[in-house]
Every structure is written in C-alpha cells, then in structure tokens.
Amino acid sequence: MEYRSFPGTDISASLLGMGCMRLPTNEDGSINEPEAIALIRYAIDHGVNYVDTAYGYHGGMSEVLVGKALKDGYREKVTLTTKLPVWLVKTYDDMERLLDEQLSRLQTDHVDFYLLHALGLERFHEMQKLDYKRFLDDMVKKGKIRYPGFSFHDNAAAFREMVDDYDWKLAQVQMNLLDEFNQATLEGVRYAGSKGIGIVVMEPLRGGMLAKNPPANVAEAYDRLAEKRTHIDWCFRWIYDQPAVKVILSGMSNMDQLVDNLRIFADASANCLSEEERAQLTAVREAYESRVRVGCTGCRYCADCPKEVHIDRIFRELDTCTMFDDMEHYRKVYAKLAAEKHDGSQCVKCGKCESACPQKFPIRQLLADIDAEFRA
C-alpha cells in the first residue's frame, strides 16, 4: 500500500480509502453491523488508514457504525473524515451543534478532516454568508477538527472559486476515467494540488458503472493496451497515476470487493502510466463517449418547462444507459417518468426549451423520437 502526505499537515494516508456510504446491509436496508465492522477492521488491519463517512450516509447510521468499528484501539490507527451537512445549516450556531452530534455518534473528541459536504456554488455562497471560515478556524482552535476541507459537486469554474477562497487542506471530488472534463475536471484537480490542497477522489468507478463488463467497442479499446489487466485495474491506475490525488475512496460493500481492491492497490504509485498507456486510456474514454445519444451537459436551462417534462433527465439517463449498454434500465426510468407525467409525450412543442438550450439541441424532435422508442 502506498501512503501519500497531505500538504501542510502531518497526515500520511493510504492511497486506498475506506468509504462508508455503501456498507453491507440487511434485507430491510439497515447496516449489517457485524459484517460492516469486520469489513472496516479488515481494511485497517491490511494497511488502509483513511476512513470516510458523513452525517447522512445510511440514513444517519454510518457515523454510528464507524464509531463502533473504531473502538478497541482502531481510532488511533486511522485518519477519520466526516462532513458537515450544510443543507441543514440555517444559522452559525447550527454548525457546531451538528459537529458535536457527529462527534458523539463517532465516539471521539475530534475528527482529522471535517468537510463542508456536497458544495455547489449556490450552497457555497450561503456558507460564506454564515461565516464558515470563522467556524472552521474556531473548531480547529478548540481541537474538535484538525484540518478543514470540502466535498464538491459543480463545475470547474465553481471549483476554482472555492479552492481560492480559504486555506483548505483537502478537496473531495468526483473523478474517474470518464470525468476528466466534468465537474472539478482533471485540470482543476491539478490546480488545487498546486495550491497545496490534497485531493480525495470519490466515485472512482462512476458508482460502479465502470466496474461492469464494458460494451464491445470499449472492450476492444482496453484490449489494445499492451499490459493485460482488468478494466477495473486500469480505471484505478488512471486515477492514482495523478500525484495530486492523495486518497481514492472505494465504497466497498463486501469482503470480495475489499480484497480485490487491496490487490489492485498493492503496487499503486504516482506516474505509473506510460505515455502510450495514457493515450490508450483516452481512447477508452472516447469509446464510451462515442456511444452517447444526445450529449446533454445537464445545465438545466430547459428546466422551466410549462408541462413539467423532465428534459434533462430524459436525455442524461439515456446517455448514461447507452454509454454502459443498459437499455433495460432506461426503459424502467422512462416508464416511471411516464407514470408521473414527466415524459416526452407531455411536450406541447412550444419551443421554450430550444430557445434556452445553449447547445441548440432539437429538443422537441428528440423528445418525440425517444418517446416513440421507449413508451411502453
């Protein structure tokens, strides 16, 4: 296991991090406590020293479970990260109240990293008005948190604005083989790294989609790589090739996934890819992207539809399902939209969406074609 240091801190973290959003569950959806504790402790016993959770994971029970798993001396072995649920923050005092609740759940007097959770630009501006900087500074002084950070879901411009606003020590971003130019972007990751911010990656396999058997044209692109590895191996290697990335979180739900990830990360290192391999993995990304039907970016300028057609969801779900060759799932998605009267058949062809669309898609025709193909 490789360990990477977070700039400006005394923390050296395992490159593989234990994400606690997808812990093993029982049939009723509750966390399978014995299995989850065994999983977390096995990871720690085999070199993983970074554990990530959040206030809302598993309906609020992830932090409770992590607190139990880190008893018996395990807390002292790990860097522990949790996150402030900023959507619940209405006043300045709410922030420390929520943090205290989280520390109680986790059965600890401090966390190593405390992140403002799931920031988009609008929510970030709200936190600025509530003086988040003073809060984080005060919590560091009180010893309740060691280092501040944020987790992110927005675009590259928003990411840079946040990066430049405070002396962050960590930024958690969605990054994987398909997200080089999405959300924070790979360029944004490198920019944050140049500012002394350690990057933690979430969704390295796009919510598990990249772990599925790839479509034929994508498999052919993988096969052109000289060194024979699984496609999951290559997806992880593409990320840990980046020196700015300090931890890659994996939401491991069972022991088989954990053991396989420990194998993959056993020889992980920065700058591990050759230029030829980087070029071929770009070809893999392009093979996935070639399957996209519409190319909607999800800007939601079309959202103000007078008939409440969920245009962006219709397009983006279709793009995802065609990219990963999962049309059966799309039929279920579309059937649900139809049942709720948010499908393309509701379109009255007023053209308001097309006037607003920055990509100038022929939305009315696309909706009609999709409805004709997928309406049950």
Side-chain angles (χ1 to χ4, degrees):
M1 179 73 67
E2 182 176 16
Y3 297 84
R4 297 186 181 180
S5 296
F6 280 80
T9 79
D10 61 358
I11 289 177
S12 178
S14 56
L15 187 52
L16 174 62
M18 181 74 209
C20 297
M21 186 175 72
R22 299 187 178 100
L23 295 169
T25 57
N26 300 309
E27 288 187 6
D28 63 1
S30 62
I31 298 172
N32 184 320
E33 190 169 301
E35 286 190 19
I37 290 174
L39 196 70
I40 293 170
R41 292 187 173 184
Y42 185 94
I44 297 168
D45 290 339
H46 289 78
V48 174
N49 74 352
Y50 188 96
V51 177
D52 172 274
T53 184
Y55 186 89
Y57 292 173
H58 284 284
M61 295 306 295
S62 175
E63 289 177 328
V64 175
L65 185 284
V66 169
K68 293 178 180 179
L70 296 185
K71 293 173 70 174
D72 304 323
Y74 280 89
R75 172 66 183 94
E76 291 71 30
K77 297 179 180 181
V78 301
T79 293
L80 177 60
T81 296
T82 194
K83 310 175 189 76
L84 174 69
V86 295
W87 53 91
L88 298 180
V89 175
K90 307 304 178 186
T91 69
Y92 180 88
D93 291 340
D94 285 340
M95 292 187 271
E96 188 168 7
R97 175 183 59 79
L98 287 162
L99 172 57
D100 286 342
E101 180 184 349
Q102 293 173 280
L103 294 176
S104 176
R105 289 177 175 184
L106 291 162
Q107 302 184 51
T108 186
D109 62 356
H110 75 281
V111 290
D112 299 291
F113 286 110
Y114 194 56
L115 315 186
L116 306 188
H117 195 182
L119 287 183
L121 196 57
E122 182 178 348
R123 190 169 281 162
F124 178 63
H125 289 161
E126 293 172 359
M127 294 305 294
Q128 285 178 316
K129 293 174 184 176
L130 289 169
D131 204 1
Y132 80 87
K133 296 179 187 179
R134 178 164 65 92
F135 163 70
L136 292 174
D137 289 344
D138 284 350
M139 294 307 101
V140 171
K141 289 176 183 176
K142 289 183 177 183
K144 294 184 179 183
I145 70 175
R146 297 189 65 210
Y147 301 110
F150 69 99
S151 73
F152 177 81
H153 288 289
D154 207 318
N155 60 36
F159 184 66
R160 286 205 175 215
E161 181 176 332
M162 294 178 203
V163 162
D164 291 339
D165 196 60
Y166 183 62
D167 184 22
W168 308 103
K169 299 303 180 188
L170 183 157
Q172 184 169 313
V173 303
Q174 177 176 311
M175 183 54 59
N176 52 67
L177 186 62
L178 297 179
D179 281 331
E180 181 174 352
F181 303 104
N182 296 327
Q183 294 209 24
T185 74
L186 188 55
E187 182 181 351
V189 162
R190 291 169 177 163
Y191 175 72
S194 74
K195 301 267 290 186
I197 300 172
I199 296 295
V200 173
V201 166
M202 56 184 160
E203 302 294 354
L205 298 176
R206 266 281 185 103
M209 299 301 288
L210 285 167
K212 294 182 177 181
N213 289 332
N217 69 315
V218 177
E220 290 172 4
Y222 275 123
D223 287 343
R224 289 193 288 273
L225 285 152
E227 188 172 351
K228 298 309 169 188
R229 295 177 177 271
T230 71
H231 59 283
I232 297 174
D233 286 20
W234 284 117
C235 287
F236 278 122
R237 286 177 77 80
W238 183 86
I239 302 170
Y240 62 63
D241 182 57
Q242 298 295 326
V245 173
K246 307 305 178 186
V247 175
I248 301 171
L249 294 173
S250 182
M252 297 166 280
S253 303
N254 58 60
M255 194 62 74
D256 288 343
Q257 292 173 355
L258 172 56
V259 170
D260 193 46
N261 281 351
L262 289 169
R263 174 192 63 79
I264 291 170
F265 280 79
D267 65 347
S269 62
N271 301 309
C272 61
L273 296 176
S274 68
E275 288 304 316
E276 182 179 349
E277 287 170 335
R278 292 187 184 109
Q280 191 53 46
L281 288 173
T282 295
V284 169
R285 172 176 57 78
E286 291 171 345
Y288 271 115
E289 291 173 345
S290 71
R291 303 177 59 81
V292 165
R293 287 268 296 265
V294 180
C296 175
T297 63
C299 69
R300 304 199 77 244
Y301 288 173
C302 62
D304 190 24
C305 171
K307 301 301 291 184
E308 297 186 353
V309 178
H310 287 188
I311 299 167
D312 68 307
R313 187 174 180 206
I314 290 170
F315 291 167
R316 286 175 67 77
E317 289 275 7
L318 178 61
D319 283 348
T320 297
C321 291
T322 53
M323 184 183 286
F324 294 105
D325 198 17
D326 191 5
M327 301 317 296
E328 185 61 32
H329 177 70
Y330 188 71
R331 292 187 182 280
K332 293 177 183 176
V333 169
Y334 200 80
K336 186 172 187 295
L337 287 167
E340 296 169 349
K341 298 192 181 301
H342 297 311
D343 61 308
S345 71
Q346 307 301 314
C347 175
V348 293
K349 302 189 185 308
C350 68
K352 184 177 181 180
C353 54
E354 292 184 11
S355 299
C357 179
Q359 294 177 282
K360 305 303 178 187
F361 289 133
I363 294 175
R364 289 172 287 186
Q365 187 60 53
L366 286 167
L367 288 174
D369 292 345
I370 293 168
D371 190 67
E373 183 175 353
F374 293 102
R375 174 167 281 276

